[in-house]
Amino acid sequence: MTPQQYCQQKTRESGSSFTLSFMFLPKDKRDAMTALYAFCREVDDVVDECTDYQIAQTKLTWWKQEIHRLFHETPQHPVTQALQPVVKTFGLQEAHFVEIIDGMQMDTQYNRYADFEQLALYCYRVASVVGLLSAQTFGYKDQATLEYAHDLGMAFQLTNIIRDVGEDARRGRIYIPLDELERAGVTEEQLLHSQASPQTQALLLKQIERAEMFYDKALSQLPKADTKPQLPGLMMAAIYRALLQEIKPEPNLVLTHKIALPPFRKLKLALGAWFKYRQS
């Protein structure tokens, strides 16, 4: 198995909606995004699969060393071997890969976030930085596109947090800021035990409102000149925003169910965005 084949397999196994948008890229960018996404899966799997804090830290430290080898020496892992031509071709920065690993380390250190400022740092590291790397790979002319990529990454991660409230709670994790729980009159125990109430509904609607604000802010910042290069992100925005709209009428359902869009609808949304922005 070649490094690129390894990345393709890793990406397929994830079953993520993000891979849908890769289909519309030219081969060099498709391969680049597949390798980048495989890297994100590898470091994310460390957190998901390692229940021992020390083992997780050791593995993430190894990945930081591997990123150093990627940029300065000879990488050992198939994913970083696949990334080697990518970082040179698209001018990707070492610091961004390290930031992503720092975000994963936050997951080993915290299972609660005191306020949105603390949560925003986590979202930046695990999602906005990925957005910045993706925007560079897709190509852009205007620096404002990086602001768009940052905010779209925030919107995606906030959507994930809303969708996964119940699942995360069953793993002992709460990503909704604790000060917002307190203001809404919701206790940690209510979320941990999937106890729906008018208060949890109002709390979740506030989270949805914030995510929608980041989608609006991101789209308003994308320069017209960079719309076509950034089509994959716009396609994903259509899918993720539709997921929010699916959750919005009965937000308490996320406490007990994982809400998802059927594959055909995701494809329809992606194609709709492709045609819409392709002609703009």
Side-chain angles (χ1 to χ4, degrees):
M1 186 183 288
T2 67
Q4 191 59 40
Q5 287 170 337
Y6 178 93
C7 292
Q8 288 167 352
Q9 180 175 306
K10 188 77 180 177
T11 302
R12 275 196 307 269
E13 288 171 353
S14 75
S16 171
S17 301
F18 279 99
T19 59
L20 182 64
S21 64
F22 300 172
M23 295 163 47
F24 296 82
L25 290 168
K27 187 179 185 305
D28 61 336
K29 293 185 179 183
R30 183 168 67 248
D31 288 348
M33 287 303 301
T34 300
L36 176 59
Y37 188 79
F39 164 74
C40 294
R41 289 305 332 149
E42 288 286 348
V43 292
D44 192 49
D45 286 349
V46 171
V47 177
D48 289 344
E49 296 171 6
C50 291
T51 54
D52 185 290
Y53 170 81
Q54 289 300 333
I55 293 174
Q57 286 293 323
T58 299
K59 287 188 173 186
L60 291 173
T61 298
W62 182 89
W63 273 107
K64 283 191 176 181
Q65 294 165 348
E66 180 67 355
I67 292 302
H68 179 83
R69 286 189 287 270
L70 167 62
F71 281 86
H72 305 286
E73 299 170 17
T74 303
Q76 301 172 6
H77 196 280
V79 166
T80 37
Q81 288 170 357
L83 279 170
Q84 199 165 29
V86 171
V87 299
K88 292 175 183 175
T89 300
F90 299 102
L92 306 185
Q93 297 175 30
E94 180 179 0
H96 281 154
F97 287 91
V98 175
E99 282 268 24
I100 294 169
I101 300 170
D102 286 340
M104 301 306 167
Q105 285 183 315
M106 288 180 75
D107 256 335
T108 68
Q109 296 163 343
Y110 306 104
N111 57 18
R112 304 286 190 280
Y113 291 84
D115 51 34
F116 184 68
E117 183 179 1
Q118 189 184 25
L119 180 66
L121 175 60
Y122 170 76
C123 293
Y124 167 74
R125 286 173 167 172
V126 302
S128 290
V129 171
V130 180
L132 294 172
L133 289 168
S134 300
Q136 280 186 260
T137 305
F138 299 150
Y140 69 94
K141 297 175 182 176
D142 193 318
Q143 285 289 318
T145 296
L146 297 181
E147 296 297 322
Y148 146 84
H150 172 282
D151 289 337
L152 191 62
M154 289 289 293
F156 286 157
Q157 188 60 27
L158 292 172
T159 302
N160 285 339
I161 286 170
I162 294 160
R163 179 196 63 193
D164 296 339
V165 165
E167 183 179 318
D168 288 332
R170 286 185 284 279
R171 295 165 57 204
R173 294 183 172 277
I174 297 175
Y175 287 95
I176 298 176
L178 296 182
D179 63 341
E180 296 180 21
L181 262 71
E182 185 176 356
R183 286 198 295 273
V186 176
T187 65
E188 292 180 38
E189 287 68 28
Q190 280 179 278
L191 292 187
L192 294 173
H193 295 99
S194 304
Q195 295 171 354
S197 68
Q199 288 78 18
T200 57
Q201 176 162 309
L203 174 68
L204 290 165
L205 285 172
K206 277 286 186 185
Q207 308 311 304
I208 292 170
E209 182 183 336
R210 174 186 285 139
E212 288 180 329
M213 181 272 290
F214 273 102
Y215 283 113
D216 289 340
K217 189 179 174 192
L219 294 174
S220 71
Q221 292 178 113
L222 178 61
K224 192 172 180 63
D226 287 336
T227 299
K228 287 181 182 177
Q230 298 299 319
L231 268 169
L234 294 166
M235 292 160 72
M236 288 314 307
I239 293 171
Y240 265 60
R241 198 152 195 184
L243 178 62
L244 270 188
Q245 294 306 311
E246 194 77 15
I247 294 169
K248 199 170 183 178
E250 294 184 73
N252 277 333
L253 280 178
V254 296
L255 296 171
T256 52
H257 298 75
K258 186 160 184 172
I259 311 300
L261 301 177
F264 177 76
R265 187 175 174 202
K266 288 193 282 190
L267 179 59
K268 186 178 177 182
L269 287 162
L271 287 171
W274 191 86
F275 283 112
K276 175 184 175 181
Y277 290 108
R278 189 77 183 169
Q279 296 167 3
S280 64

